[in-house]
Amino acid sequence: YRINNNVTDLADQECSPCPAGFECTSSPCIECSPCQPGYYKGSAGTDICTACPPGTYNSEEGSPSAALCLACPAGSVTAQEASADPSACECSQQMYRSKDGTGAASCQPCPTGALCAGAQLSCALRNEDQTCPGSGTKIPGTWIRGTDGVFALSGCPPGHQRQTDQCVACAVCAIPGEWCVRADYISDSSKVGATCQTCPLGAECNGALLRTRGNLQGAKWVLQEQRYYLTLCPKGHRLINNTGYENQECRKCPEGQFVFRSDDPSYECAPCPAGATCPNGGPPVETKQIQSEMSLNGISPQDILGDPEVAYALVLALAESLGVDPSLISLTETCDSDGVCSSLARRDASFGTQRSVFHGLAVGADGLPRAWINLGAPTSGEGGLSAAVRSRRASSSTVKFAIYAAAVTADAVMDAMKTPAFAEGLNEGISTKMAKQNRTVTTTVSPGSVVLAATDTADAVGYVGWVYEPDPRTGNFHLVDCPAGFLVVNDSIASQTCLECPPRSYSVSAVDNCGAESCVSRECNACPQGLNCLGKSNWVTSTPGDGSVWDRVIEDGSLGSTTRLRIKACGPGHVIVRGSSPEQDACVACPPG
C-alpha cells in the first residue's frame, strides 16, 4: 500500500494499493515506484513486480503486462530471469548470433564444420577467434561473415577436402607431418569438389602434398583432373605409368643396366653394352671419367646421406659450374673430418636432367622403393670427444664425385676444373642453393684433386669411334660401327663389342661379313704375304722398297660383303703375284739379270 494523503479532509486519508506497473517495497510506503526493466506488474495490488521469465526480456520501466516481456529471437535464451536487454538473449551452444544490415539480431544454426566435439556440442563461431572452448583449437577453414551476418565457408587449409559447410582432413601418416605411401594428397583444398586422392606406389604423401617416393629428384608429375600422373623419371629409372594409376613409379635399373628413355613406359632396362659407359644408368656414351672432390663447411656427411635434396643441389651446382648435364655427374663418396667415408654410389638417389619438376613438393629403388640407409657410417662412439670437436665434425665433410665427359672434351673440362673461376662459381652456386634450405655452406676445391679415373673409360682412345644407335621398338642400344681395325659384334646386347684385330690380321670395315640383322663373332682378315700387319688397321709392306700399291676391294663373303686389301701395282723391278686367295697377294722382286 501507499499513503494517499492528497486530500483536503484528514478523515479521507487512506492506504491505497499500487496500480499496475508499480510497486512499493519500502516501509512505511509513501510512494509507489515503477517496475524496473525486466519486471512487470499486471494489476493494482500490494504485490511486488514480477520478473520476466527466462527466454524473455523487457527494456521498459513500469510495464503493466506480462506481454511486455518480449521473447528472445528463435534459438536463443536468457541465462536467467528478469533480463532487461535483448543482448541478454544468448544463442544456444549449437548456434551463433548474427545481425543483418538493419541491425536485427537472430541466431543461426552452426555449420557442421564449425561444431566443436565434446560432451556437449558447441559452435566455435560464437567466439571471436573461432576457437573451440577449452582446447583453444581453431576450427579448420576460412569462415567469412556476409552482409546478412551469416558465416560461410570460403576455403580450407592444405590437406583438407572442402565440402559444403565443412573441411574434412585427408588421410595422414601414423606420425602427422611425415611422408608415407598410405597418406593422401589433394590438388586444391580451396576448391569445392576437389577430393582427397590416394598416393600412387611410386610416390609418398603427407595428407596435402605428393612427391616422388624417397624424395627422388628429377621426376615430373603432371596434374590431370585432380590426380597427379608420372610423366618423367630421372636417368637410370624406368617409367612405369601404363599399369594403372595406383602402380605408377620410377623403377631404378639394376646395376650394369641402362634405359634409353625415361619418359616412355615402353622402354625397359637393358644391359649396358660391353666396354661402354652408361653414366647413372643412362644411354651409353663415349666418355672419360674425371674424378675430384670438394670440401664443404656447413654440411655433414649425414646431411648428404639422409637428404636427397641436399645431394641433388650439390649435383646441380656442379653441373651449372661446368655447363654439363647433371645426369653425367655422380656423387661417389662422402667423408667426415676423421676420414671415415660412406659410399654414395649405392644410394637410392639418382639425378636426372635438370627440369621443372613437381617437388610437391612433384622412387628411388632397385625394383622396390626402400628407406635410405647410412652405408658405411662410422659405428664407434663419440662419448670422449669434446663438444667443439663434435660440432666441427658434424658441420664439415668431403664429397668425392665423378664427371663423365666426352672423350674429345675431357681435357678441356679438366682444365676448367683447375681454375679459380670454377672454384668460385661452385662455391657461389652451392651457397645459393643451400641458403634456400636455410643452410650456410662454403666450398673449396683443390686443383690437385682433379684427375682422370684409373679405369678403361679414361683411356684416351679406348672407345672413340664406338657408335651406338637405339632400336626405336625396344629402346635398346645396338653397336653399329667401330673404328678401323675392329669388327662389330652385336648379335647379343649383353656381349656386343668392338673386336680388336690382332697382329698378322687387319680390318678395313668394321661391318665386314655382317648379316642382315646383326654381326656375329668372326675373324679378321688374314694378312696378305706382301704386307706386315701390325694389328687393328695398321700395316706396312713386308719388303721395303717394293713400291707396292694396295687397293681396297669389296668382295662377297659367306655372310655378306667384306673389304679386303688387294695389290694394285708394284715398283720397278717387281711383279704382281696373285694367288687363289687375297692372302697370297705380294710384289715379288725380279731375279738378277
Side-chain angles (χ1 to χ4, degrees), residues 250-380:
C250 290
R251 184 172 296 175
K252 187 177 181 181
C253 292
E255 189 71 24
Q257 295 193 12
F258 76 98
V259 62
F260 173 53
R261 291 179 60 176
S262 293
D263 61 350
D264 188 332
S266 65
Y267 290 89
E268 299 185 358
C269 298
C272 190
T277 301
C278 300
N280 292 314
V285 292
E286 301 168 8
T287 63
K288 289 183 178 181
Q289 186 188 114
I290 302 172
Q291 296 178 341
S292 188
E293 61 183 46
M294 53 185 170
S295 298
L296 303 170
N297 185 27
I299 300 180
S300 70
Q302 275 62 40
D303 293 331
I304 301 168
L305 290 163
D307 190 341
E309 293 188 12
V310 171
Y312 190 53
L314 297 178
V315 169
L316 291 183
L318 282 166
E320 293 167 1
S321 299
L322 292 170
V324 301
D325 193 303
S327 65
L328 298 179
I329 298 176
S330 177
L331 304 183
T332 59
E333 201 171 41
T334 179
C335 307
D336 63 19
S337 57
D338 291 334
V340 179
C341 300
S342 300
S343 173
L344 289 168
R346 292 174 55 197
R347 306 296 291 179
D348 290 337
S350 181
F351 310 105
T353 303
Q354 187 175 9
R355 297 173 181 263
S356 176
V357 298
F358 172 74
H359 282 299
L361 265 206
V363 170
D366 50 355
L368 292 176
R370 57 187 180 181
W372 280 50
I373 305 170
N374 186 358
L375 300 175
T379 57
S380 60

Side-chain angles (χ1 to χ4, degrees), residues 421-486:
F422 166 71
E424 293 171 2
L426 181 62
N427 179 54
E428 181 179 354
I430 291 178
S431 297
T432 300
K433 294 182 184 303
M434 290 297 101
K436 296 179 180 179
Q437 301 185 28
N438 297 320
R439 300 175 186 267
T440 301
V441 180
T442 56
T443 309
T444 56
V445 180
S446 171
S449 68
V450 182
V451 297
L452 279 175
T455 64
D456 290 340
T457 56
D459 188 343
V461 295
Y463 301 103
V464 176
W466 295 48
V467 179
Y468 293 90
E469 290 184 355
D471 185 336
R473 298 168 299 176
T474 64
N476 292 332
F477 266 77
H478 289 272
L479 185 66
V480 297
D481 200 8
C482 294
F486 292 78

Side-chain angles (χ1 to χ4, degrees), residues 125-284:
L125 298 178
R126 295 165 56 87
N127 304 321
E128 190 69 26
D129 57 3
Q130 299 179 1
T131 59
C132 290
S135 67
T137 303
K138 187 181 184 302
I139 54 172
T142 302
W143 299 85
I144 297 179
R145 194 189 289 269
T147 55
D148 58 358
V150 178
F151 279 103
L153 180 63
S154 65
C156 292
H160 289 73
Q161 176 178 307
R162 181 181 174 186
Q163 296 181 357
T164 304
D165 63 352
Q166 62 180 322
C167 296
V168 179
C170 298
V172 296
C173 306
I175 302 176
E178 294 291 320
W179 296 83
C180 63
V181 74
R182 295 186 178 182
D184 290 341
Y185 71 91
I186 186 167
S187 59
D188 188 352
S189 290
S190 64
K191 185 177 180 181
V192 176
T195 57
C196 303
Q197 302 293 329
T198 57
C199 213
L201 174 66
E204 56 189 21
C205 304
N206 65 359
L209 304 172
L210 172 147
R211 70 182 186 187
T212 312
R213 195 164 187 180
N215 203 12
L216 177 69
Q217 304 294 297
K220 183 178 182 181
W221 298 82
V222 175
L223 182 64
Q224 296 179 5
E225 297 181 353
Q226 299 190 39
R227 282 184 165 183
Y228 280 103
Y229 290 89
L230 186 62
T231 62
L232 174 72
C233 293
K235 283 190 177 181
H237 289 73
R238 181 188 171 199
L239 173 65
I240 299 177
N241 66 357
N242 57 351
T243 58
Y245 165 81
E246 294 81 4
N247 298 321
Q248 299 179 98
E249 65 171 320
C250 290
R251 184 172 296 175
K252 187 177 181 181
C253 292
E255 189 71 24
Q257 295 193 12
F258 76 98
V259 62
F260 173 53
R261 291 179 60 176
S262 293
D263 61 350
D264 188 332
S266 65
Y267 290 89
E268 299 185 358
C269 298
C272 190
T277 301
C278 300
N280 292 314

Side-chain angles (χ1 to χ4, degrees), residues 29 36 61 84 116 287 319 326 357 364 405 408 421 457 500 518 570:
C29 180
Q36 296 296 309
E61 288 186 342
C116 300
T287 63
V357 298
V408 295
T457 56
E500 182 179 339
S518 62
C570 297

